[in-house]
């Protein structure tokens, strides 16, 4: 039996790397005073049609949608933002908590996309949403947080692409300019672009068909259609990024694929040293109508999401994966039945004191137990034979230094506690 196309298993080492990556991201999010929230994987399809928008590829082509047993249309979430906003509207957290609401999240999302390098049908996102403050400083803080996360992971060579798609008036003018520009070409462009032309001509700029890309190369750029306020906001943001030494590149054609964006939009790109390019490792932007659209008050928001698989891929390519946090620390090697019984209670004491402890259940030779300890990459071996049971002692062997000492059984936990203190 094969796994579903576009999905992937995580074996222990990979699962551990994913956890370490997510833990580092969570750590940075909490340093920026963000709190974790969790929302359901299934949502009413209507949430994404209204929230993400039906001119986006994500909603038009990529949603996993089905009818439940009561004939309700349900979708697996293709992204988090709409669900997070639904959550804060349903729970009215905007009325009870201080604004901006600062939330982070991590978990699986689903898109029926064409599987290829860095593109899956089930993948994980880690992201944040800040809702209820319209200061451009908030935009800068959010971008700064994303950047700090990437630096914390060790990804120093990241390219931040940024653009402003302006307020409603700017975008209406720009849409019209794009319609005028594409009008003489649209007949020869792909079927998707023909639909995009009608629904939202901004989407044409995301087209991946080579001939269409060539046509789009000379399309007007949004900066020429920004209102005075939007232009000023964008310039203020760029000035602060420069001041805080966050390198960026203005990409005049960056419009992002989801319909809720306004003003600032951005993406992070990274090419591994072996040349692999998995696409954007993260992206986000400002939105100002989403909360209202989903039944809440008129509050703006800004957020971003990273693709955890893509972070994992680039970190792996560049040998930057975080160390496994959960390696076996102590491997107990009991010789004989009495020692095995004794070992189980010792293992329990060590585990309750916070040491990752494993032990050999089988009646095997000491040499084969050492091989097992080595395979598990244990740091210490605890050797217990009849002699040790009778004298209530154990032998502790440092497997790196190959040195061993005898310690009273009652002092084993103490021994490792002292060791941990000296290592700190
Ligand atoms: P997005 O750009 O659609 O934005 O997705 C965010 C990230 O998810 C991408 O940059 C990429 O790393 C990853 N990703 C997207 N599709 C795939 C795929 N098929 N396989 C693997 N990774 C993928 C959003 O989802 C917005 N909700 C971000 C946001 C938050 N905007 C405001 N707040």
């Amino acid at each position: 039996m094969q796994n579903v196309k576009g999905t992937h298993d995580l074996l222990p080492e990979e699962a551990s790397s994913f956890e370490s990556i997510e833990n580092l991201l969570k750590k940075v999010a909490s340093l920026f005073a963000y709190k974790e929230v969790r929302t359901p994987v299934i949502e009413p399809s209507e949430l994404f049609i209204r929230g993400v928008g039906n001119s986006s590829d994500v909603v038009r082509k990529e949603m996993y949608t089905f009818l439940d047993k009561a004939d309700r249309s349900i979708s697996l979430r293709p992204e988090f933002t709409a669900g997070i906003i639904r959550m804060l509207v349903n729970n009215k957290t905007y009325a009870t908590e201080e604004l901006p609401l600062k939330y982070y999240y991590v978990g699986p999302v689903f898109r029926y996309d064409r599987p290829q390098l860095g593109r899956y049908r089930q993948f994980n996102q880690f992201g944040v949403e800040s809702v209820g403050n319209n200061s451009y400083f908030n935009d800068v803080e959010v971008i700064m947080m994303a950047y700090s996360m990437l630096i914390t992971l060790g990804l120093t060579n990241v390219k931040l692409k940024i653009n402003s798609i302006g307020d409603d008036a700017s975008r209406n003018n720009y849409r019209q300019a794009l319609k005028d520009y594409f009008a003489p070409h649209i007949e020869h462009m792909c079927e998707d672009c023909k639909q995009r032309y009608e629904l939202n001509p901004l989407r044409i700029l995301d087209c991946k068909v080579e001939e269409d890309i060539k046509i789009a190369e000379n399309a007007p750029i949004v900066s020429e259609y920004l209102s005075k306020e939007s232009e000023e906001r964008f310039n203020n943001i760029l000035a602060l990024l420069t001041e805080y030494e966050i390198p960026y590149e203005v990409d005049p054609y960056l419009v992002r694929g989801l319909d809720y964006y306004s003003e600032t939009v951005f993406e992070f790109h990274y090419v591994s040293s072996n040349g692999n390019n998995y696409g954007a490792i993260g992206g986000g932007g400002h939105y100002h109508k989403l909360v209202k659209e989903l039944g809440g008050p008129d509050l703006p928001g800004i957020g971003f999401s990273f693709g955890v698989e893509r972070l994992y891929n680039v970190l792996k390519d560049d040998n930057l994966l975080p160390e496994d946090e959960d390696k076996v620390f102590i491997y107990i090697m009991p010789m004989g039945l009495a020692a095995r019984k004794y070992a189980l209670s010792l293992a329990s004491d060590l585990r309750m004191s916070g040491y990752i402890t494993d032990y050999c259940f089988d009646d095997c030779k000491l040499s084969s137990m050492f091989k097992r300890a080595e395979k598990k990459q244990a740091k210490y071996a605890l050797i217990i034979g009849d002699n040790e049971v009778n004298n209530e002692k154990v032998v502790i062997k440092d497997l790196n230094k190959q040195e061993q000492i005898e310690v009273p059984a009652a002092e084993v936990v103490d021994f490792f506690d002292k060791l941990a203190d000296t290592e700190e």
Side-chain angles (χ1 to χ4, degrees), residues 79 81 105 111 113 118-120 123 125 128-129 256 258 260-261 280-285 287 303-307 310:
E79 60 111 51
T81 312
Y105 48 82
R111 294 184 189 178
D113 209 342
R119 203 167 283 282
Y120 306 92
F123 58 99
Q125 285 190 339
V128 313
E129 307 298 332
R256 306 265 309 133
L258 313 171
Y260 46 65
Y261 292 115
I281 51 176
Y287 43 89
F304 65 81
S305 307
F306 289 127
R310 292 192 187 174

Side-chain angles (χ1 to χ4, degrees), residues 341-379:
K341 281 188 184 156
Y342 192 71
L344 193 57
S345 89
L346 202 57
S348 170
D349 289 349
L350 286 162
R351 288 165 179 160
M352 296 311 279
S353 308
Y355 298 105
I356 301 178
T357 305
D358 201 354
Y359 90 104
C360 184
F361 304 114
D362 301 326
D363 198 7
C364 54
K365 283 194 194 136
L366 202 56
S367 58
S368 112
M369 289 199 226
F370 271 115
K371 278 196 192 119
R372 293 183 188 200
E374 195 183 333
K375 236 181 163 176
K376 286 178 186 275
Q377 296 179 295
K379 278 194 151 168

Side-chain angles (χ1 to χ4, degrees), residues 329 331 333 370 373-374 377-381 397-403:
F329 188 65
Y331 192 67
M333 304 176 172
F370 271 115
E374 195 183 333
Q377 296 179 295
K379 278 194 151 168
Y380 293 91
K397 181 162 184 178
D398 182 326
L399 294 170
N400 293 328
K401 293 188 189 148
Q402 292 291 317
E403 290 166 2

